[in-house]
Every structure is written in C-alpha cells, then in structure tokens.
Amino acid sequence: MRLEPSYLYQLKEYTIPQILFKQAEALGDRVAIRKKSLGIWRKISWREYLEFVKYTCLGLKQIGLKRGEHVAIIMDNEPEWLFSELGAQAMGAVTMNLFTSSTAKELATLLNRFDARVVFAQDQEQVDKLLEIREEIRGVDRVVFVDPTGMSSYDDPWLISFKELLKLGKELDEKKPDLFQNELWMGKK
C-alpha cells in the first residue's frame, strides 16, 4: 500500500479551483506559471493566477453564465486556457476542451452535443470557424477570444475579448467583493 503525504490527502477534499485558492494562500508571490512570449519570459505568481481565475469566473457571471451550464474551450497551451478552465469551474460550469485543429463542422457537432453556452477561442482562426457555423450552434450565447490579432474589424456583440471579460469580472468584484468566494466554495468534489 502506498501512503500519500498528508498534504496531498487533504487536497482530495477540494475542487481544482479551490486547490488553486489554497496554493495562492500558501505560495502567494512565488512563481506558478512561466510563459515565453517574443523571447521574454512572463512570470505569473500564484496570487496573480488566482486573480485571473477570479476575474474570468466573475466575467462569465457578468455575461450570463449560470452554475451547471457548459463552457467549451478551443485553445492552445496558454495561461489563458488555465484561467478559462478554472474560472468556469469556479463558477460551477462544466468545461470541455476541443482541438484547435478541429474543422468547423466537427466543432458544430461537438458544441451542440455538449450544449455549450460560452466558447473560449484562441484566435481569429477559431473565431472564423465559429462564425461560419454560428447558425448551427444553437446554444452558444457568447464567444470569448484570447488573441485579438486580426480582429479589429470584427464588430459583433456575440464576440467578446478575453481582456474585456476580465474587465467585466473586475468591475463585478468591486461591486460584490464576496461573490467569487461564495461561488468558489459552493463547488463540491
């Protein structure tokens, strides 16, 4: 029989977003994520990681997502993928990751089967696929895009940038500072 350290055993009682909260409490400004961009390493502390997740969670609430609804994620391995995944889970949403290499038709089938309300999309390529199948994906209310490159001419209320989602989350946090904690701790393992 393999014994686990008591610390790991204790974490089994929590959801992944709740574990992130505990890690941010314990490790604060220590580096949680490193991402190289344009030759420069970007460092994100545990505290910042939790803050991104909090604002993502609250931003999703601001755009109408409810506990138990579904969020699809079509992203590369980027920090925003983690923020989206854990932010949605902290909100009580069910998440599903889809391949960025999926065709528009494949995405339509999967998004309808999953009944996604919100879709996180990496970039213009993924947004264009979603716009192509917009009439087929009956339940998707909003598309959140991460990389705005090439999207300055897109003027569609169906689309919202990740940056804008974070801003909405921050605004809600300022109005209701206990809301994130309430949502987070409603989660059950």
Side-chain angles (χ1 to χ4, degrees), residues 99-163:
F99 292 109
T100 55
S101 60
S102 297
T103 65
K105 184 177 179 175
E106 290 168 336
L107 290 175
T109 300
L110 294 168
L111 291 171
N112 284 330
R113 189 172 294 157
F114 183 61
D115 196 26
R117 285 267 332 276
V118 175
V119 178
F120 283 90
Q122 178 69 38
D123 53 22
Q124 182 183 13
E125 178 184 358
Q126 303 311 319
V127 169
D128 286 347
K129 289 180 202 177
L130 295 167
L131 288 169
E132 179 183 328
I133 58 171
R134 185 176 187 170
E135 298 304 316
E136 298 170 49
I137 49 177
R138 59 192 175 271
V140 176
D141 292 334
R142 295 302 286 270
V143 173
V144 182
F145 60 90
V146 174
D147 182 355
T149 305
M151 298 195 53
S152 60
S153 65
Y154 288 55
D155 185 24
D156 188 328
W158 194 53
L159 307 173
I160 182 173
S161 72
F162 189 75
K163 185 176 181 178

Side-chain angles (χ1 to χ4, degrees), residues 4-168:
E4 296 182 25
S6 62
Y7 177 70
L8 293 178
Y9 177 75
Q10 291 170 352
L11 293 180
K12 289 182 179 182
E13 303 303 315
Y14 300 107
T15 65
I16 294 173
Q18 291 166 352
I19 291 171
L20 171 62
F21 181 86
K22 294 280 189 188
Q23 288 293 95
E25 273 186 330
L27 302 174
D29 292 325
R30 290 177 58 188
V31 176
I33 301 171
R34 295 177 207 272
K35 173 69 179 161
K36 196 171 194 176
S37 178
L38 303 172
I40 299 169
W41 284 99
R42 175 179 165 206
K43 296 177 185 176
I44 300 170
S45 72
W46 286 100
R47 184 167 299 143
E48 291 167 325
Y49 186 177
L50 179 63
E51 189 171 88
F52 278 116
V53 168
K54 173 171 67 171
Y55 294 152
T56 302
C57 170
L58 295 175
L60 287 168
K61 190 158 189 77
Q62 279 283 73
I63 64 171
L65 187 72
K66 294 177 180 60
R67 185 166 286 281
E69 292 184 321
H70 299 174
V71 173
I73 301 170
I74 312 167
M75 277 203 248
D76 297 323
N77 188 7
E78 299 287 338
E80 290 82 3
W81 167 72
L82 294 170
F83 308 150
S84 302
E85 181 95 25
L86 272 68
Q89 290 176 7
M91 176 64 212
V94 178
T95 58
M96 179 175 73
N97 293 288
L98 301 171
F99 292 109
T100 55
S101 60
S102 297
T103 65
K105 184 177 179 175
E106 290 168 336
L107 290 175
T109 300
L110 294 168
L111 291 171
N112 284 330
R113 189 172 294 157
F114 183 61
D115 196 26
R117 285 267 332 276
V118 175
V119 178
F120 283 90
Q122 178 69 38
D123 53 22
Q124 182 183 13
E125 178 184 358
Q126 303 311 319
V127 169
D128 286 347
K129 289 180 202 177
L130 295 167
L131 288 169
E132 179 183 328
I133 58 171
R134 185 176 187 170
E135 298 304 316
E136 298 170 49
I137 49 177
R138 59 192 175 271
V140 176
D141 292 334
R142 295 302 286 270
V143 173
V144 182
F145 60 90
V146 174
D147 182 355
T149 305
M151 298 195 53
S152 60
S153 65
Y154 288 55
D155 185 24
D156 188 328
W158 194 53
L159 307 173
I160 182 173
S161 72
F162 189 75
K163 185 176 181 178
E164 181 64 25
L165 183 80
L166 293 175
K167 181 179 172 199
L168 291 173

